[in-house]
Amino acid sequence: MKRTLLITAIASSVLASTSAMAAWPDKPIKIIVPWGAGGNTDTVARLVAEGLQEELGVNVNVINRTGGAGVVGHDAMAKAKPDGYTLGVATVEIAMMHHQGMTSLDYTNYTPITRLAVNLGGIQVAENSKFKNIKQLTDYIKAHPGELKASGSGLNSGWHLNLIGMLDAMGLPSNAVTFVPSEGSSSALMELVSGGIDFTTSSPGEARSMVQAGMVRNLATMAEKADGLYKDVPVFQKATPYKYSFSTWNSLVAPAGVPEDVEKKLISTMKKVFSEGKIQQYATKQGFEIYPLYGKDMVNFMKSEDEKYGKLISKLKK
């Protein structure tokens, strides 16, 4: 009798658990953003929240958890209960921070759902520059190491690492071009136009308005292939002998250990959200790309990016 009651109790518990999980979601979901309100990451997160809310039928709220150069928000995502009710937008910094000694977090602390925004690295020169194509620039750097100056953002930031990676692909040390720190791409591009530096390593999207104004020229993108918004701009690894691609990115994630059926439902739902086109429309307006990756493909991408950034950051330490 006792054995029968025990089996019945276990069966009831399993059924209740399965039923609860099958009902996901039945309460509001929150999306943690590790950066402040108003930026591209925050706006993309809000478009994702809007799409998920429409598809899942529950409220989806964006929570900005800033601080620690991204560490605070990424930590909150990773430590949340893995039940599908707390998601996050992990940014490329997750491939950088642990190599910089800022945190122990890395891509393995998350269940990636999909890649969201992709911001290609690029190379820009002033309109009156003597360098008319990317090969002329790389040939000059090799022949005159240490002579040219570049900028794009602050020290150890993504666009600084874009330069380090380019030089490494060329077989050159990180000091073959002097990097001049700036407060961001806008400041760097203004310095470029004024003649204070020789080129920038910013994204073509950030340079777009100055390109359209006839003040700046894109010499190359660090894309893997000619595609998307900048398919008419030469691809660095096609226009030079050097194999190298670079981008910054962000992705929708859940904490590690989220149930597989919740993960699958989030992936299928995000495919529907992308099909609506609102995120792509915003991306086009802002000048960055949307190249979704899901599941294992996204895990492999984050792993390879972690390795790439680790290698580049190690060169900065030398």
Side-chain angles (χ1 to χ4, degrees), residues 191-307:
E191 187 70 11
L192 177 66
V193 171
S194 68
I197 55 176
D198 299 289
F199 64 96
T200 50
T201 55
S202 304
S203 71
E206 289 164 321
R208 186 166 60 172
S209 62
M210 297 185 77
V211 170
Q212 291 172 343
M215 302 167 71
V216 168
R217 284 186 287 112
N218 283 310
L219 288 192
T221 72
M222 273 35 180
E224 294 183 2
K225 59 182 180 179
D227 193 16
L229 293 177
Y230 307 105
K231 60 185 178 183
D232 295 328
V233 178
V235 173
F236 179 85
Q237 61 183 5
K238 302 294 184 183
T240 72
Y242 315 112
K243 184 170 177 57
Y244 176 66
S245 61
F246 187 92
S247 65
T248 62
W249 46 267
N250 54 43
S251 60
L252 182 67
V253 301
V258 73
E260 185 177 353
D261 54 349
V262 173
E263 177 189 356
K264 287 182 177 179
K265 189 167 184 178
L266 279 166
I267 288 173
S268 65
T269 303
M270 279 305 302
K271 288 180 179 180
K272 294 177 183 177
V273 172
F274 279 129
S275 71
E276 291 296 318
K278 291 182 181 179
I279 297 174
Q280 290 91 329
Q281 288 170 15
Y282 174 76
T284 298
K285 181 179 178 181
Q286 296 301 113
F288 58 84
E289 312 275 5
I290 299 294
Y291 294 126
L293 282 178
Y294 304 99
K296 295 295 184 184
D297 289 336
M298 190 58 195
V299 172
N300 292 335
F301 171 76
M302 292 179 78
K303 181 177 185 292
S304 67
E305 289 290 283
D306 188 274
E307 293 169 352

Side-chain angles (χ1 to χ4, degrees), residues 114-234:
T114 181
R115 185 169 61 182
L116 297 170
V118 176
N119 210 12
L120 296 175
I123 299 293
Q124 300 84 30
V125 295
E127 181 59 38
N128 61 358
S129 172
K130 64 182 178 182
F131 303 113
K132 303 306 179 186
N133 58 61
I134 188 62
K135 191 169 186 307
Q136 284 183 2
L137 177 63
T138 54
D139 286 350
Y140 191 90
I141 292 170
K142 293 207 82 165
H144 305 87
E147 183 176 320
L148 299 185
K149 296 178 181 179
S151 187
S153 50
L155 282 174
N156 304 335
S157 63
W159 299 148
H160 186 190
L161 293 176
N162 184 25
L163 173 65
I164 300 302
M166 182 185 83
L167 294 174
D168 182 59
M170 294 168 60
L172 297 174
S174 59
N175 62 359
V177 171
T178 300
F179 188 81
V180 180
S182 67
E183 294 188 4
S185 291
S186 294
S187 298
L189 288 161
M190 290 303 296
E191 187 70 11
L192 177 66
V193 171
S194 68
I197 55 176
D198 299 289
F199 64 96
T200 50
T201 55
S202 304
S203 71
E206 289 164 321
R208 186 166 60 172
S209 62
M210 297 185 77
V211 170
Q212 291 172 343
M215 302 167 71
V216 168
R217 284 186 287 112
N218 283 310
L219 288 192
T221 72
M222 273 35 180
E224 294 183 2
K225 59 182 180 179
D227 193 16
L229 293 177
Y230 307 105
K231 60 185 178 183
D232 295 328
V233 178

Side-chain angles (χ1 to χ4, degrees), residues 48-70:
V48 168
E50 179 184 316
L52 289 177
Q53 184 166 296
E54 290 176 0
E55 295 293 337
L56 297 174
V58 298
N59 289 335
V60 182
N61 305 302
V62 172
I63 309 295
N64 298 92
R65 293 290 301 274
T66 60

